[in-house]
Amino acid sequence: MAQLNWVFYSLIPIFILYHLFVSPYTKVEESFNLQAIHDILIHGIPSENYDQFLTANYDHISFPGSVPRTFAGALVLSGLSRPWVWLFSSTSQLQLLVRAVLGLSNAAALIAFGRSVEKAFGSSAGIWYALLQASQFHINYYASRTLPNMFALIFSNLALRSFLNVYATAWTRAKASKNYRLSLYLLTIAGVVFRSELALLVATITLYLFATRRISITGVIIPAGLGGLVIGLLCTVSIDSFFWQSFPLWPEWTAFYYNTIQGHSADWGVSPWKFYFLEAIPRLMINPLTYLLCIPVAVLNPVTATRCRDLLIPLLSFVSLYSFLPHKEWRFIIYVIPGLTAVAAVGASWIWTRRAKSIIYSILSLALVGSVLASFATSTAILAISSLNYPGGAAIEYLHNRIHHDQDRHHQAYFDNLACQTGVTRFLESHDGPQTVLDTLEVHDFTNSRAWTYSKTEDPDLLLDPLFWSEFDYVLAERPEKVIGSWSVVGVIYGYNGVRVLKPGEKSSGNQIEPVDMVERKTAMSEDITSKIAKSWKNLEGMLRETALRGWWIEVKMEPKIRILKNNLRHRGEKL
């Protein structure tokens, strides 16, 4: 039975990697850590002339953001990725490598938590946990994305594992205190280093355990709190004071002060108190039977009620308290989803093991199986649509790999805001001259044929200067009319523009990857990943709409997002 369970657990890393390869590009929210990893891997860490070296080579000096962020995750992920660099032949492949390492680290933590579910609630509960977790979308999709939340998610899952391990071994107060202490250690460190909101989760777990007399102030609370705080501060302050060349620096405190105390997080939008419960959690769990059926069954069942409440009460209390902050995003509460999924798995296991005892359990069991299959299908569909949201990444790959360039000359390119927001990273750039201190990278000669420099400036005065534009060979532009000079469109990158439910007999609107002029007609159907997925969706319509869905369909609308422009004056006589 244990070997069978590992078959189901393997679905978690498989689907995380599947989501990574279907949607390989990134967005601006992930950029700080991704650019930092690039700079550490490619340029190395200076041993002298620190300030000059960092200023010349590191992205965060040029684009520091509104508040500093920690380098701790980027440093560790760079170290974990470093032994595998020799297997790859381009920096764009290295981007996939570092994301895969992060995704697999999250997968390992999810499986470790799943194993504690199995030990605490039984083998069947472990299998259902694996199925429910693997069939969700958001954790699979974002587990490999270099958001601070995804680094913190590793710690929170390991903390929940220790929390459940109290039930997985023969109970003694000493063993229980040790597991609870480790759980609070991990959460405190993650809160200090990566995401300050985890301090609230530490508080709700601590208060619940103290109120139920599981822990004492001197035995667990003070050692875990002080120990986690000291370890976290030693890590982040030492690392980040060096990389930011400012001592002492605690980035997560700076971000907390800026966003929460000064209230700047509200600048990004305000949501009602109920958002997390009525919108975020149902969307994150994706399968409605998990929260409408399975969790209630697990909580109401006398056999499992106490252990399930031990998970639910601290997690839902965290969500309730965090709901009072005006700005809300699903990623702020992502840490509770594996725990809620575990409780749902307990309810699903209870129903499944009784499927032969009554017709009601049989029907509910079939409904659970059907809901999991539907969740996998829904998650895959959302993945296909989500992958269409990265025109910047597709555009820079198109620029380097699908347009003929004169290899004997230096090229300059300008990337506008949309391109930088939706996929342009240093891993995808092609730089001039030697830039690496790593022997493995030099063996692969990543720097050959790299005659490119780039500009991402948003200076309004420069953008109105014709001389500024005359310096560039290529421009990635959302609005070509703002680019001054004589330019030709040599590539068009399409992106997602919404969905529409088509009724039987209703035709599509026609704005799905349609060329807008004769120059674009040559390039619009290029076989990048965006157009491949869009064409596959169109092929599915032909296969399924009339035969299986009786004329119903969901139209995925596309529109031109970024034009790749070529400077006519700098490329006279060349063909488009």
Side-chain angles (χ1 to χ4, degrees), residues 390-551:
Y390 301 88
I396 189 172
E397 289 277 25
Y398 191 107
L399 172 66
H400 289 316
N401 301 321
R402 298 181 179 276
I403 296 176
H404 173 74
H405 305 293
D406 184 350
Q407 299 296 324
D408 296 327
R409 57 171 295 185
H410 184 90
H411 298 283
Q412 297 188 73
Y414 175 79
F415 302 148
D416 75 357
N417 183 60
L418 181 63
C420 295
Q421 294 271 341
T422 59
V424 167
T425 70
R426 283 196 163 191
F427 277 112
L428 302 183
E429 294 177 357
S430 181
H431 288 281
D432 200 9
Q435 61 165 354
T436 175
V437 296
L438 299 181
D439 293 338
T440 50
L441 292 182
E442 290 175 342
V443 166
H444 276 297
D445 199 16
F446 283 3
T447 60
N448 274 359
S449 302
R450 294 195 166 195
W452 288 84
T453 55
Y454 306 91
S455 173
K456 306 172 188 176
T457 183
E458 296 180 11
D459 186 326
D461 293 329
L462 282 177
L463 298 181
L464 293 175
D465 184 359
L467 292 178
F468 169 78
W469 295 106
S470 67
E471 297 176 357
F472 298 108
D473 298 274
Y474 298 96
V475 171
L476 271 55
E478 178 185 12
R479 300 182 63 181
E481 66 273 14
K482 290 190 172 183
V483 180
I484 301 172
S486 175
W487 300 82
S488 299
V489 177
V490 294
V492 181
I493 303 300
Y494 282 74
Y496 176 70
N497 190 37
V499 298
R500 186 168 70 101
V501 176
L502 300 179
K503 299 177 181 179
E506 188 176 5
K507 295 183 178 180
S508 62
S509 59
N511 57 345
Q512 298 176 293
I513 314 189
E514 293 292 341
V516 296
D517 60 35
M518 289 305 294
V519 172
E520 294 181 359
R521 188 181 299 275
K522 301 176 184 178
T523 60
M525 299 302 290
S526 62
E527 288 298 312
D528 54 44
I529 191 165
T530 300
S531 59
K532 284 181 180 178
I533 291 173
K535 288 168 65 178
S536 297
W537 194 270
K538 191 69 176 176
N539 292 336
L540 278 176
E541 179 182 1
M543 294 169 54
L544 300 177
R545 183 176 181 183
E546 298 301 331
T547 56
L549 301 176
R550 298 184 178 182

Side-chain angles (χ1 to χ4, degrees), residues 44-59:
I45 300 172
S47 57
E48 58 183 4
N49 300 321
Y50 313 117
D51 189 61
Q52 296 92 326
F53 186 94
L54 294 171
T55 300
N57 297 298
Y58 273 58
D59 183 79

Side-chain angles (χ1 to χ4, degrees), residues 294-354:
C294 296
I295 290 178
V297 166
V299 173
L300 295 175
N301 177 12
V303 177
T304 60
T306 300
R307 297 183 179 186
C308 289
R309 284 199 299 266
D310 287 347
L311 266 177
L312 281 180
I313 291 175
L315 296 179
L316 295 182
S317 297
F318 161 72
V319 177
S320 298
L321 292 174
Y322 205 64
S323 295
F324 287 102
L325 289 179
H327 178 61
K328 298 176 178 64
E329 294 184 34
W330 62 263
R331 60 191 176 96
F332 297 159
I333 62 156
I334 192 71
Y335 324 105
V336 309
I337 297 305
L340 298 184
T341 303
V343 176
V346 174
S349 173
W350 179 266
I351 293 169
W352 179 256
T353 55
R354 284 154 183 78

Side-chain angles (χ1 to χ4, degrees), residues 15 80 124 156 185 241 253 259 280 293 301 355 411 418-419 460 523:
F15 275 90
L80 293 175
S124 177
S156 67
Y185 265 129
S241 295
W253 164 253
N259 288 315
L293 173 65
N301 177 12
R355 64 190 182 279
H411 298 283
L418 181 63
T523 60

Side-chain angles (χ1 to χ4, degrees), residues 180-193:
Y180 289 139
R181 190 162 51 244
L182 178 57
S183 178
L184 296 177
Y185 265 129
L186 292 169
L187 285 174
T188 303
I189 292 170
V192 169
V193 177

